[in-house]
Amino acid sequence: MLAIIFAPFYILVNIYLIRWVLRWTGACHRVFGTKTFRVIFVIVYAFFALTPLTGFLVKSPLWLRRALKQAGNYWFGWLLYLILAVLLTEVVLFLVRKARKKDFAEMQRVRQAQGGAALLLVCAVSFYGMAHAKTLYVTDYQVSVPGAGADMTVALLADLHLGYSTDPAYIEQAAAAVNEMRPDLIVLAGDLFDNEFDAVPEPERVAAALAGMKSTYGTYGVWGNHDVSEPILAGFTWSRTDADKWDRRMDALAADMGITMIDERSVTLPGGVQLVGRADRSRTKKLGQGRVSPAEALAPLDQDKPIFVLEHEPGELAELAAAGADLHLAGHTHDGQMFPGNLTIKLMWENACGHIEKDGMDSVVTSGLGVWGPDMRVGTRSEVVRISVHFEG
């Protein structure tokens, strides 16, 4: 429903951008002012602007649906930076006009220069973001928690978003990076999937790569808000029954990946570490399920032994610390994924990304391995996290 409500706004924005680009190109050379050029430009622009809709409507063949979905994902990133560039250019032109009182001919030359610089910037940032999203980083954190025992290494992954923007080779690279850590424990903090199981490319290959990750104590995970089956149009989901949202093929593939899902339960690892998995708030609501509070989740545990909490969204930090958690592990935020989201995301979460201490508890939030929506990263990075845990026994 929200997609339909916002549709007129989306159309008006794109009409404005088409007119702006044509006005700029027309000021650059008379060839760009011809009817032929304008028609070709409008057709090409409309094709990409409509890919979110065509990718939603076209169900088969799968290769065409995948191509349209991927084009739509790229399109939203380009659109964001085109809007920002046009707004910046118009503000600068307004200030120049007011300050210098230039005549029409001079303003045309200023528009040519400003518009050209803006479009070059859009291209540079967008191409960089597309390449940077597939550049994998390993981020290291050191934490000290109460308890006895040998120090351990924890590999934290989250937000794989296996779907139309996934390259199986990239998942294999991430799995190899985890194995290079020689971790004692591997945890996945939700959003393995991207709302559609059929979008996963080469699921057997992806499963084999993740199943090949080796650790001392095994691989554990929790589900995220996108680990449900929902039709999505331009980022907005469409209602389905609870039964339809739970695609059991996701459970089966997670098992093939060697992941033990621990939503709303705990496991005690050799050495005494207690690992607690919390169900995702949004997912449980969609599926009509319940979710216990931090105090209820941690009450049955031995407070004298280390408690690690794994969940998707990094919320309720104070409550978790008060309940006795020593190490909190999460994802979900993508660190905003794309500028300026990397700035605004910090207003939404106490720990939007990275490592903080909260009332004696260490909280580590990863920016994630994959992407959601635009297949770009600008101002953030795709990562797997290595956490060196020292026990102060």
Side-chain angles (χ1 to χ4, degrees):
M1 182 61 69
L2 286 176
I4 296 175
I5 294 174
F6 281 101
F9 175 75
Y10 179 75
I11 293 171
L12 290 175
V13 168
N14 281 287
I15 290 174
Y16 175 80
L17 292 174
I18 289 172
R19 292 187 62 185
W20 188 92
V21 174
L22 289 177
R23 184 171 55 173
W24 172 74
T25 55
C28 292
H29 196 281
R30 64 177 181 271
V31 173
F32 300 130
T34 63
K35 182 178 179 180
T36 300
F37 173 81
R38 289 172 176 265
V39 169
I40 293 174
F41 174 80
V42 170
I43 291 174
V44 173
Y45 186 102
F47 169 80
F48 286 102
L50 289 172
T51 50
L53 178 61
T54 55
F56 177 79
L57 295 175
V58 174
K59 305 300 182 183
S60 62
L62 185 58
W63 67 265
L64 179 58
R65 179 178 174 83
R66 182 175 296 279
L68 291 172
K69 284 279 191 176
Q70 182 67 68
N73 288 342
Y74 283 131
W75 166 252
F76 277 124
W78 281 80
L79 181 63
L80 168 65
Y81 291 121
L82 181 58
I83 291 172
L84 293 177
V86 168
L87 290 176
L88 178 61
T89 299
E90 289 302 309
V91 169
V92 172
L93 287 172
F94 174 80
L95 295 176
V96 169
R97 186 181 295 111
K98 289 294 184 181
R100 302 290 184 87
K101 300 186 183 302
K102 293 180 177 291
D103 59 26
F104 177 78
E106 290 177 309
M107 286 306 300
Q108 286 292 86
R109 288 193 291 271
V110 172
R111 179 174 293 280
Q112 291 174 19
Q114 293 279 0
L119 293 179
L120 284 175
L121 182 62
V122 170
C123 292
V125 172
S126 297
F127 281 122
Y128 163 79
M130 292 163 62
H132 189 55
K134 296 297 186 288
T135 303
L136 181 65
Y137 293 84
V138 175
T139 304
D140 288 287
Y141 298 109
Q142 308 277 338
V143 302
S144 296
V145 301
D151 293 352
M152 64 185 298
T153 298
V154 179
L156 169 63
L157 298 83
D159 303 286
L160 280 67
H161 285 275
L162 299 172
Y164 294 109
S165 296
T166 303
D167 180 359
Y170 176 69
I171 301 299
E172 291 170 341
Q173 180 187 359
V178 169
N179 283 334
E180 288 179 7
M181 300 178 188
R182 299 183 181 275
D184 297 292
L185 174 66
I186 303 172
V187 291
L188 287 91
D191 279 359
L192 275 69
F193 299 94
D194 202 21
N195 295 92
E196 185 179 347
F197 180 86
D198 291 325
V200 181
E202 302 181 59
E204 295 84 3
R205 180 181 174 186
V206 170
L210 295 175
M213 296 188 301
K214 305 299 182 183
S215 65
T216 307
Y217 303 134
T219 301
Y220 297 88
V222 292
W223 297 114
N225 58 302
H226 287 278
D227 292 319
V228 292
S229 180
E230 292 180 306
I232 296 181
L233 174 58
F236 298 102
T237 58
W238 294 70
S239 297
R240 304 180 70 179
T241 66
D242 294 345
D244 289 335
K245 289 179 182 178
W246 194 337
D247 192 332
R248 299 292 181 170
R249 294 177 298 173
M250 294 182 179
D251 298 73
L253 191 60
D256 291 343
M257 295 172 182
I259 306 170
T260 301
M261 307 305 292
I262 57 170
D263 293 61
E264 296 299 283
R265 64 189 186 94
S266 64
V267 294
T268 300
L269 306 177
V273 170
Q274 302 164 99
L275 178 63
V276 182
R278 298 198 71 206
D280 179 69
R281 177 180 53 186
S282 175
R283 185 176 187 269
T284 54
K285 184 178 180 180
K286 291 176 180 179
L287 297 178
Q289 299 174 342
R291 182 180 191 240
V292 301
S293 68
E296 292 172 320
L298 274 58
L301 304 182
D302 186 345
Q303 297 291 322
D304 293 328
K305 294 182 178 180
I307 299 175
F308 295 179
V309 176
L310 175 66
E311 64 179 340
H312 183 54
E313 294 187 12
E316 301 181 299
L317 299 189
E319 292 84 351
L320 285 166
D326 299 302
L327 177 60
H328 169 253
L329 306 166
H332 179 67
T333 68
H334 293 237
D335 195 19
Q337 189 166 316
M338 295 170 57
F339 173 87
N342 59 325
L343 304 179
T344 58
I345 195 69
K346 294 175 174 59
L347 303 175
M348 302 171 60
W349 302 98
E350 186 172 4
N351 183 13
C353 186
H355 171 225
I356 68 169
E357 292 186 23
K358 177 68 176 181
D359 300 335
M361 178 187 74
D362 289 277
S363 172
V364 177
V365 178
T366 175
S367 62
L369 183 60
V371 296
W372 177 80
D375 193 2
M376 297 181 185
R377 277 192 181 269
V378 178
T380 68
R381 60 189 197 176
S382 303
E383 66 178 11
V384 292
V385 171
R386 174 170 49 205
I387 306 168
S388 299
V389 182
H390 172 66
F391 293 102
E392 300 177 324

